[in-house]
Amino acid sequence: MSDETRDADDGTPPTRRDARGGAPADGIPLVDAAFPSFDADAIPPRPPLPVTPENTSQVPLGPLDTADHNAIREQWRAARDELGSHVSHARDQLDQANERIKQRTGRDLILAILIGLAFGAALLASLLFIKALFVPFALAAALLGVYELSRALRASGRRIDVVPQLIAAAFLVLSAYFAEPWLCWVMLFVAVAFVVVWRLIAQMVVKDGRTYGDVLTDAVISGFVQVYVPFLAGVALILLEQEGGQWWVLSFIAIAVAADTGAYAAGLAFGRHPMAPKISPKKTWEGFGGAVAASLIAGVLLAIFLLELPWWAGLIFGASILLSATLGDLGESMLKRDLGIKDMSSWLPGHGGLLDRLDSILPSTIPALCLYFLLSPWVVM
């Protein structure tokens, strides 16, 4: 079989382009009936593609107008500068307002709000999902409160043994949740006896000539620390352990916080008449009025929508927590004034110490537990 596609001189086959054009590399046209010569003019032109989002970038655009581009850039720059000036002006106004509030109340408002929101979120999460998560939260708060109070008392000249206080507080708080409620009272007696006996033995070992009156005062105050912080925190855990108790814990804390916030806002805006100038000069009757309104409103709303109680039960609940929170706040202010300090510590910027935030919550555990047994529809007497 003869190969007509090969070159007669070198035997090289023609290229594809030569074959398509109908002529080999030496210009001699190919003659083959099976492969007629290709006519490019006989192919119709390709129709234009429709404009779609996918091929928009392939559509040729006209020349850019440099003047319009510069104008748009200038407008954007002017808008950005104006927004920056507004933000800077608002920040300056906020800083000035915060400084005025800080001078009047001695608190950094922005830091206080941020820290309060963080603690509120942690508390809310522990009560909404698994109520047992509130136990380490309460234990940590009680231990830190005991530590703050013990340090403040030691700074004032009292002999308080910190380590025994922390050990007794841990057992007292944990027994309130994991043991029977009546054992909490037994553990309270054991904890008080433990710290008192420890203080007496420690004083006997030291023999530094301290008077009997001072030693007795140290022992009584040691027992008071256990009653004031871990026992009241344990009462909150007794309430938590009850059926639906997490909603009652959340409610009484919310009412106490609402009373504190209402008193702060009303006192800041309208405060003119001091409520107890010898105990806390910055507390006013106008602030107390704001606390009354906030606590009663919060009590009614929580009773209706969370605790499934009638509105009048919410008024009783709100008034009870308001009374205990106010007495607790004034009591802690009296204690700090007697110790000659402004805050229990400086752990929480804008708040002072943790005990400064728990002063209205800890005493409110007692009326909250009592009202649970009196008003709760889940309790079977």
Side-chain angles (χ1 to χ4, degrees):
M1 180 177 177
S2 62
D3 190 356
E4 298 179 357
T5 62
R6 291 182 177 275
D7 192 291
D9 295 334
D10 56 6
T12 303
T15 63
R16 184 177 296 177
R17 185 172 60 182
D18 295 338
R20 196 183 310 128
D26 55 1
I28 301 175
L30 295 175
V31 179
D32 193 340
F35 299 97
S37 60
F38 178 75
D39 187 4
D41 297 334
I43 298 177
R46 177 181 296 179
L49 293 175
V51 179
T52 61
E54 290 77 8
N55 61 10
T56 303
S57 59
Q58 302 176 2
V59 179
L61 301 176
L64 292 176
D65 192 342
T66 306
D68 292 343
H69 183 71
N70 291 336
I72 294 174
R73 180 182 296 176
E74 291 298 329
Q75 291 178 358
W76 168 253
R77 187 176 300 168
R80 184 186 61 187
D81 294 340
E82 184 179 1
L83 178 61
S85 64
H86 284 307
V87 171
S88 178
H89 181 65
R91 183 182 300 171
D92 292 339
Q93 288 184 336
L94 181 61
D95 291 340
Q96 293 174 4
N98 188 37
E99 286 298 325
R100 290 194 298 267
I101 294 174
K102 188 175 181 179
Q103 291 176 0
R104 184 171 180 179
T105 62
R107 303 291 183 188
D108 192 327
L109 181 60
I110 297 178
L111 281 176
I113 292 175
L114 293 178
I115 292 176
L117 290 176
F119 272 92
L123 176 67
L124 190 63
S126 66
L127 290 174
L128 288 181
F129 298 104
I130 303 175
K131 68 179 184 179
L133 294 178
F134 183 75
V135 177
F137 190 87
L139 177 61
L143 294 179
L144 184 56
V146 168
Y147 181 71
E148 287 182 351
L149 184 56
S150 299
R151 285 191 57 189
L153 291 170
R154 287 174 64 90
S156 66
R158 297 291 96 190
R159 300 289 180 86
I160 304 296
D161 305 292
V162 179
V163 175
Q165 291 283 347
L166 294 176
I167 295 174
F171 279 100
L172 182 55
V173 171
L174 293 177
S175 66
Y177 185 79
F178 294 103
E180 294 295 329
W182 63 270
L183 284 177
C184 185
W185 296 95
V186 177
M187 282 303 303
L188 174 62
F189 175 78
V190 173
V192 171
F194 175 69
V195 296
V196 168
V197 172
W198 186 290
R199 175 86 293 273
L200 295 177
I201 295 177
Q203 183 61 43
M204 292 172 60
V205 172
V206 174
K207 296 180 180 180
D208 57 354
R210 197 170 178 83
T211 64
Y212 290 107
D214 290 336
V215 174
L216 181 60
T217 303
D218 294 339
V220 172
I221 292 178
S222 298
F224 165 76
V225 172
Q226 292 297 310
V227 176
Y228 181 49
V229 183
F231 173 71
L232 294 179
V235 173
L237 293 183
I238 293 176
L239 177 60
L240 177 73
E241 201 269 336
Q242 307 300 317
E243 183 180 358
Q246 67 270 26
W247 310 124
W248 283 80
V249 172
L250 179 61
S251 297
F252 91 78
I253 293 177
I255 294 174
V257 171
D260 194 14
T261 305
Y264 182 83
L268 186 65
F270 312 107
R272 295 295 182 273
H273 303 86
M275 183 178 179
K278 294 184 178 180
I279 298 177
S280 181
K282 293 181 179 179
K283 291 180 174 58
T284 61
W285 285 107
E286 291 81 3
F288 180 72
V292 171
S295 59
L296 292 181
I297 293 173
V300 171
L301 293 177
L302 290 169
I304 295 175
F305 297 106
L306 186 61
L307 302 180
E308 299 180 358
L309 297 175
W311 64 269
W312 55 265
L315 290 178
I316 297 175
F317 194 19
S320 301
I321 300 301
L322 169 67
L323 180 61
S324 61
T326 304
L327 293 177
D329 195 0
L330 291 175
E332 204 238 3
S333 298
M334 185 183 302
L335 177 61
K336 290 189 296 185
R337 179 168 289 274
D338 184 65
L339 296 177
I341 58 177
K342 182 180 182 296
D343 295 320
M344 283 295 178
S345 69
S346 57
W347 291 61
L348 303 177
H351 292 272
L354 180 62
L355 205 57
D356 295 312
R357 297 300 91 200
L358 299 179
D359 56 356
S360 59
I361 294 177
L362 287 175
S364 300
T365 58
I366 300 296
L369 181 63
C370 294
L371 289 175
Y372 172 83
F373 289 104
L374 291 175
L375 301 176
S376 177
W378 300 297
V379 175
V380 179
M381 301 304 291

